Amino acid sequence: MERAMTLIGTLILAGVVALGAYRMYSNPMVERRQVLENHLKSIKTIDVKFEKPPWDFDKWQQAISSKPAIWESLVAAPLPPPPPPKQPPNLEAMAKDISFGRQQIGAKVKMMDAKDPKGSFVKVGDTVNELTIKQIGKTGVVLAFMWEGQELTIEIPRK
């Protein structure tokens, strides 16, 4: 029984291999390819003559180039240059007549300017020539100015 089954299996395997080999060598497209090649050989080329049209291209070019405003609607005018950026104020010019002395009473320091040559005492938070006193140190006074959302500072030495 085993021998018969082995023999049947071997026969089936041999049949499948033989069928595959037959299909591999017997290509059905060979005949169709031959018909197509014969058909392509029978096609003859035809020369088609196109006559030059009676158009005067130079006249058209002259008509277009003689109208300089013809392209204005298609081409946008150039944008104007952007405005120059705003320059920050000159803090040194604002504080040129201001000087601070060494005299100090508590948190106040003596300040002299063109309006008050004898001087007066000022503290942090006071405003002088649109500048606000931000900090008073041993060697200098820091003044601040708010400009477009940012704080500009300058330090003036004490004399």
Side-chain angles (χ1 to χ4, degrees):
M1 184 74 168
E2 286 180 26
R3 209 172 232 198
M5 293 299 264
T6 306
L7 184 61
I8 292 172
T10 306
L11 287 175
I12 291 174
L13 180 61
V16 168
V17 169
L19 184 64
Y22 173 74
R23 294 244 174 160
M24 188 169 64
Y25 288 111
S26 66
N27 188 353
M29 294 302 292
V30 172
E31 186 179 328
R32 285 182 171 242
R33 185 177 298 131
Q34 188 65 32
V35 170
L36 178 63
E37 286 177 6
N38 289 337
H39 184 64
L40 289 174
K41 286 178 186 176
S42 68
I43 296 174
K44 304 279 189 230
T45 59
I46 300 172
D47 289 335
V48 179
K49 304 246 180 193
F50 290 103
E51 295 179 15
K52 185 177 177 186
W55 299 330
D56 188 7
F57 292 108
D58 293 329
K59 179 181 169 187
W60 291 353
Q61 178 66 29
Q62 180 65 27
I64 291 172
S65 62
S66 68
K67 299 176 184 174
I70 196 168
W71 304 110
E72 287 181 4
S73 61
L74 298 176
V75 179
L79 296 174
K86 291 176 77 176
Q87 295 295 324
N90 187 356
L91 297 182
E92 293 174 2
M94 293 171 77
K96 71 177 181 174
D97 294 332
I98 301 172
S99 64
F100 294 95
R102 293 270 179 203
Q103 299 145 344
Q104 186 169 353
I105 299 175
K108 293 184 177 186
V109 66
K110 188 168 187 177
M111 176 192 76
M112 286 77 63
D113 62 356
K115 297 175 191 170
D116 187 13
K118 289 184 177 180
S120 62
F121 286 93
V122 292
K123 64 183 183 314
V124 173
D126 288 348
T127 303
V128 180
N129 290 357
E130 299 179 35
L131 300 169
T132 304
I133 298 174
K134 184 175 179 182
Q135 179 183 3
I136 298 174
K138 291 191 183 256
T139 59
V141 176
V142 177
L143 302 172
F145 182 76
M146 289 302 290
W147 179 74
E148 293 194 5
Q150 60 181 336
E151 185 178 57
L152 305 175
T153 60
I154 184 172
E155 182 172 0
I156 298 177
R158 290 175 69 177
K159 298 178 185 176

